[in-house]
Amino acid sequence: MLKKVLSIIGVALLAVAFAAEEGAAAASSFAAIGKGLALGLGALGTGVAQSAIGAAALGAVAEDRRNFGTALIFFLLPETLVIFGFVGLFLIS
């Protein structure tokens, strides 16, 4: 799976490199790819983290309703990955 993802990213970077005519166009193209990767990989990481946390949180709340607040906090913590990716999207020029 990882090899497929890396090969797709490599092909995309090569396509951008060959399509660019000048240095400024290549830099803006690579910036656009970086912005997409910053937000996309942040969202992917959040989804993977929340899948495991959600199952555990549901089990904890099913056993004892007083665990709801703690479970909610732990479930929302991975959302910071998307926020960091969104901030990184604006920092990449």
Side-chain angles (χ1 to χ4, degrees), residues 9 12-13 16 25-43 84-93:
I9 291 171
L13 291 176
V16 170
S28 67
S29 299
F30 285 126
I33 290 174
K35 289 178 182 182
L37 286 175
L39 190 58
L41 292 177
F84 289 148
F86 194 66
V87 169
L89 181 129
F90 289 109
L91 291 177
I92 297 173
S93 58

Side-chain angles (χ1 to χ4, degrees), residues 57-58 60-62 64-76:
L58 185 62
V61 171
D64 188 7
R65 286 219 175 252
R66 291 179 291 172
N67 292 334
F68 179 74
T70 306
L72 185 64
I73 290 171
F74 282 122
F75 185 72
L76 294 177

